[in-house]
């Protein structure tokens, strides 16, 4: 279980329990199960009979008389809850990282997995140590069996793109392929040159 999946599953479980409880509350009241089965709900329990409503006329009048701030506060709370739910949903849809990758070998190491963040950090560290490289960042996306590696290298002014690309393929990327046991890993490499201040001739 990944560190990000713990709060995600907790939120899903909490939302599921709230929806389940609300559904059972409405179901018991709608089918009048309390009266049919001689069940005694707790004191103050809402929605006991089919004629009950969640917010009666007296409650609506009581809250409506609280002043101008009541309805804007309710609308703001609903908008905030909807925005948080949409943000969480977009975050889940946009997360396309493999999480854990199988560790290769002969034979493959069953039950042994490699975190994608650990592999990307290892590639970035080794790539950052290559000659002519000032900075390296690596991100791994996709599924465990078909992941894609995105490498961004910032070269020094003295760096050579061709030589750096060859050293990257023969060094860090080959090591990553051996670690995962995959013969081919689609890789996207972007090269930039670090900015430097112009030298002033005197």
């Amino acid at each position: 279980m990944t560190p990000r999946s713990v709060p995600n599953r907790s939120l899903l479980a909490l939302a599921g329990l709230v929806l389940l409880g609300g559904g059972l509350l409405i179901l018991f009241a709608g089918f009048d199960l309390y009266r049919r089965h001689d069940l005694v709900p707790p004191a103050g329990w809402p929605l006991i009979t089919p004629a009950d409503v969640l917010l009666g006329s007296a409650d609506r009048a009581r809250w409506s008389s609280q002043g101008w701030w009541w309805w804007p506060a309710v609308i703001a709370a609903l908008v905030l809850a909807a925005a948080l739910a949409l943000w969480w949903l977009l975050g889940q849809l946009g997360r396309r990282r493999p999480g854990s990758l199988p560790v290769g070998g002969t034979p493959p190491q069953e039950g042994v997995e490699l975190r994608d963040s650990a592999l990307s950090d290892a590639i970035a560290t080794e790539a950052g140590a290559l000659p002519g490289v000032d900075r390296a960042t690596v991100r791994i996306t996709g599924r465990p069996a078909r992941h894609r590696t995105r490498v961004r290298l910032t070269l020094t002014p003295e760096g050579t793109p061709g030589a750096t690309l060859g050293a990257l393929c023969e060094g860090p990327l080959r090591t990553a392929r051996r670690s995962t046991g995959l013969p081919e890993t689609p890789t996207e490499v972007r090269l930039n040159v670090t900015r430097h201040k112009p030298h002033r001739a005197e």
Side-chain angles (χ1 to χ4, degrees), residues 22-146:
L24 291 176
L25 188 67
I26 296 173
L27 182 66
F28 270 64
F31 287 97
D32 202 10
L33 297 180
Y34 295 106
R35 183 184 60 83
R36 292 183 180 181
H37 298 281
D38 295 328
L39 299 176
V40 180
W45 195 256
L47 299 179
I48 298 175
T49 65
D52 290 341
V53 294
L54 186 61
L55 189 62
S57 300
D59 294 328
R60 291 198 303 269
R62 178 166 61 89
W63 287 110
S64 299
S65 62
Q66 296 301 314
W68 64 269
W69 59 270
W70 169 244
W71 286 113
V74 172
I75 295 174
L78 294 176
V79 170
L80 179 61
L84 290 175
L86 182 61
W87 170 77
W88 178 81
L89 178 62
L90 292 178
Q92 300 307 304
L93 294 177
R95 185 182 183 274
R96 296 183 178 179
R97 298 184 58 182
S100 298
L101 300 170
V103 176
T106 308
Q109 303 296 319
E110 295 185 3
V112 181
E113 294 180 334
L114 177 64
R115 299 289 306 150
D116 60 343
S117 57
L119 181 61
S120 60
D121 290 344
I123 297 175
T125 301
E126 191 173 350
L130 294 175
V133 176
D134 180 64
R135 187 170 59 256
T137 58
V138 179
R139 186 169 183 265
I140 298 177
T141 60
R143 292 174 297 181
R146 299 182 61 181

